[in-house]
Amino acid sequence: MSGETVIDIGTVIERQQTTRFGVLLIVAMGVMMMTEGYDLAAMAFAAPALSRAWHLKHGVLGPVFGAFVFGTMIGAFVLGYLGDVIGRKRMIVIGSVVLAGFTLAASRATGLEQLLVLRFLAGIGIGGVVPNAIAYTTEFAPKRWRATWVTLMYSGYTIGSSVGGLVSAWLVPKFGWQVVFVIGGLAPLVSSAMLWFAVPESIRFLTLKGRHAEVARIVARIAPGFAVAPQARFVIGGASPGHAHEHRRDGSLRLLFAGRLRALTPVLWAVYIANSMALFFLSSWLPVLIESVGLAPRDAALVSTMFQVGGTLGGLALMRFVDTRGAIIITVLPLVGTPLVALLGTGLPAPMLVAAVFLTGFTVVGTQFGLNAVAALVYPTALRAKGTGAAVGIQKIGAIAGPVIGGMLMSAHLPVERMFFLGAVPVAFVALLAFALGRLHRRGDDAAPDNAQTGAAHVA
């Protein structure tokens, strides 16, 4: 028998407690996601003041919204793929720097065409951050806490989106629309520097790449009581080092449709598209639409903020249920959200409108939290950033369509109540698709076995 010690890294991860390292990881990634979420909503909150400053009609900014979302789709595919090649953390930092540079440049834009190009390029950066952040967090979390860790991390995204409403209400009247993009450019630079020095590369990624010395140092941080012999080799799911090498070599995109993923991947994509259509329609046009029902611009911005606040709480309320009940629990939120979206345009009194916007965010944005957690659980380590990146990228079909269709409807002077009724249609489809996803994704598959593609046994 060889004297070499082989350690399953999954065993180490499962034995860790919620240590200071786990808290540090969630906080560092949450702050990073907060800056990304702010930039996601930046254009929506700058739009009313920008339209007035440039004397634009409603709906003219639709292509700018769409260009940004299209950029995030490109970034999710390209930087998500690169995350499986050169590292999750490195791609998160690169994406944030790209986002920061082009967002700062947008604050100096002087015309629609220039703004459209800059927002597209900024979108490439933010598109690459999200799937890598989800994959990174998943790969450090014990199985029993995976959805919870991803949700806590991703809550920074909606908190950041909410901050845009405060900036719009209090700083834009004094400094102009440009301040939205100045803050949106500086924040990712600070958060990416903090992330680079605070946390290591993904432990599962390093294991897959055979970087055993680095893995050993991380093990000492996350599980101090775990004995690691000198020259120990780390593997994923008990696979031999040679088997791990096979995963590295055969991690192509076609495996997203192999075996158990043949049905899961298309359904996951479909539910992502439908929910993104509703979410981006609302997040892009909600401030303008609420102004249309009679609220002052400052009040409209503050009410719109409740959409993201509700979304954060919706995701937090859902996270433990996903860990304990599985993906099918997501179905509850869009079922409740469908009538809520339709109610937003019915002329509700201000207090009821605030409550309805909050609950709409709770259901629609909360569903997005659940989908992100499930996407990370579906795919094995060799495919996790690619698979999550592909899902986050493909959802942009809906994310592009939502704001662009909204702009077309605004330009056609469709009544506000009709616009919100149409916005409820994709939410209803989400409920149906989420149920199908839950049936396919059995609770026993939540571990996303790393050996699935090669026919080996399922491993937690």
Side-chain angles (χ1 to χ4, degrees), residues 88-171:
R88 319 319 191 192
K89 189 179 85 166
R90 184 174 298 177
M91 291 316 306
I92 291 170
V93 172
I94 290 173
S96 294
V97 171
V98 170
L99 170 66
F102 290 113
T103 300
L104 284 171
S107 69
R108 307 294 297 274
T110 56
L112 276 177
E113 290 185 2
Q114 186 181 26
L115 184 63
L116 185 148
V117 172
L118 291 171
R119 291 303 287 165
F120 166 76
L121 295 172
I124 293 176
I126 194 173
V129 170
V130 176
N132 281 292
I134 293 171
Y136 180 93
T137 305
T138 300
E139 290 172 356
F140 273 105
K143 177 184 175 183
R144 64 192 182 277
W145 290 102
R146 283 177 183 171
T148 299
W149 281 33
V150 170
T151 300
L152 288 172
M153 175 276 295
Y154 195 77
S155 64
Y157 206 67
T158 51
I159 292 171
S161 298
S162 304
V163 171
L166 302 179
V167 170
S168 177
W170 291 323
L171 296 182

Side-chain angles (χ1 to χ4, degrees), residues 244-261:
H245 179 73
E246 179 182 346
H247 282 307
R248 294 198 298 271
R249 185 175 65 248
D250 193 18
S252 61
L253 291 175
R254 66 182 176 80
L255 293 180
L256 298 183
F257 299 93
R260 61 191 284 277
L261 301 178

Side-chain angles (χ1 to χ4, degrees), residues 151 154 158 275 279 307-319 322 329-334 358-373 430:
T151 300
Y154 195 77
T158 51
N275 199 67
L279 191 156
F307 180 73
Q308 300 296 345
V309 172
T312 302
L313 294 178
L316 294 174
L318 188 66
M319 61 184 185
V322 175
I329 197 68
I330 297 172
T331 309
V332 174
L333 292 186
F358 173 85
L359 291 173
T360 299
F362 189 96
T363 57
V364 175
V365 183
T367 299
Q368 196 75 13
F369 276 84
L371 292 175
N372 289 335
V430 171

